[in-house]
Amino acid sequence: NAGVTQTPKFQVLKTGQSMTLQCAQDMNHNSMYWYRQDPGMGLRLIYYSASEGTTDKGEVPNGYNVSRLNKREFSLRLESAAPSQTSVYFCASSESGTLKGEQYFGPGTRLTVT
Amino acid sequence: AQKVTQAQTEISVVEKEDVTLDCVYETRDTTYYLFWYKQPPSGELVFLIRRNSFDEQNEISGRYSWNFQKSTSSFNFTITASQVVDSAVYFCALRETSGSRLTFGEGTQLTVNP
């Protein structure tokens, strides 16, 4: 099993460009998440999908959109990138939306917006 | 609102020393889960442990041990006889009953020197 995979691993964008970060999991998990990690701030939740067909905003959703394409895939789109979106982005999945399910993380995408 | 505080931003020890990473949390829920994750220099996040709010037993796994004290809202992590491979950023996280969101602390950078 590959677990959680993310593409691309690195990306440089110019301000105003758009891009989609891809995430897929092969663990048959219902719930998927997108986080951003910034120095000194831990990980902050951008959006999550408790199950296929549903998405909800997290702590920092502004400037992002998501699509839960199917049970396996959950993409994150930046419509008009800004330097403040320079960050490391992590996708995660968990068995269900239940309280105890630990989340499994992908390797991350390092995004720089110039 | 839930909050996780890891007051130690950076800790540096010499190999074979014991080290404790502190985690203090805030929540209004009576049912919740606490987690520890490790982020080595390679960048991925590795799940270490999950503890529910009704189980205050300490847990030991090899050189790792966790001390959960509900009375002080703390969930501290101790590494015994530290090794260079323990060098990483360690995150404490909290998940409440009321949502799917995992709230992370800011992380503690542990450096173990030979």
Side-chain angles (χ1 to χ4, degrees):
Chain A
N1 284 355
V4 181
T5 57
Q6 291 181 236
T7 55
K9 287 199 168 106
F10 301 94
Q11 183 71 49
V12 179
L13 290 178
K14 290 186 177 1
T15 298
Q17 287 185 318
S18 62
M19 79 161 294
T20 300
L21 280 64
Q22 306 287 354
C23 174
Q25 51 91 9
D26 62 2
M27 295 176 281
N28 202 35
H29 286 169
N30 287 313
S31 301
M32 297 185 74
Y33 311 82
W34 276 105
Y35 292 88
R36 60 177 289 173
Q37 183 180 20
D38 302 295
M41 299 190 76
L43 279 82
R44 293 181 293 167
L45 184 65
I46 305 171
Y47 271 94
Y48 66 98
S49 171
S51 61
E52 188 178 352
T54 69
T55 60
D56 285 287
K57 294 179 181 179
E59 187 182 352
V60 288
N62 291 345
Y64 306 95
N65 284 301
V66 290
S67 295
R68 183 74 184 267
L69 304 169
N70 47 55
K71 192 171 185 179
R72 288 188 64 247
E73 297 171 289
F74 188 38
S75 62
L76 178 73
R77 183 158 179 83
L78 287 70
E79 291 292 351
S80 178
S84 61
Q85 293 177 305
T86 293
S87 189
V88 181
Y89 292 85
F90 287 97
C91 178
S93 70
S94 65
E95 188 173 315
S96 68
T98 62
L99 187 65
K100 69 174 183 179
E102 59 264 26
Q103 295 180 13
Y104 295 88
F105 286 81
T109 295
R110 188 174 293 274
L111 175 66
T112 302
V113 183
T114 61
Chain B
Q2 59 191 47
K3 185 179 177 183
V4 177
T5 302
Q6 295 178 255
Q8 304 150 307
T9 307
E10 294 180 27
I11 301 176
S12 182
V13 299
V14 177
E15 209 169 15
K16 296 185 185 173
E17 280 186 37
D18 298 347
V19 57
T20 295
L21 310 182
D22 297 333
C23 172
V24 174
Y25 62 92
E26 294 175 30
T27 177
R28 280 179 257 184
D29 279 13
T30 54
T31 304
Y32 51 89
Y33 275 80
L34 294 160
F35 301 81
W36 275 95
Y37 284 85
K38 174 182 180 180
Q39 186 176 41
S42 52
E44 76 275 21
L45 280 140
V46 178
F47 165 75
L48 294 178
I49 190 172
R50 175 187 68 221
R51 171 67 69 211
N52 76 55
S53 52
F54 295 106
D55 183 1
E56 287 195 69
Q57 278 193 332
N58 290 337
E59 178 146 348
I60 298 174
S61 174
R63 296 183 298 107
Y64 294 171
S65 61
W66 290 269
N67 183 310
F68 175 36
Q69 291 197 343
K70 215 165 172 179
S71 59
T72 56
S73 297
S74 65
F75 186 42
N76 297 337
F77 173 29
T78 297
I79 302 174
T80 303
S82 59
Q83 299 176 2
V84 173
V85 293
D86 296 326
S87 296
V89 181
Y90 291 86
F91 291 98
C92 180
L94 164 70
R95 189 170 181 181
E96 293 177 328
T97 316
S98 48
S100 298
R101 190 173 127 191
L102 197 60
T103 298
F104 284 83
E106 301 88 347
T108 297
Q109 169 73 60
L110 173 65
T111 302
V112 182
N113 298 298

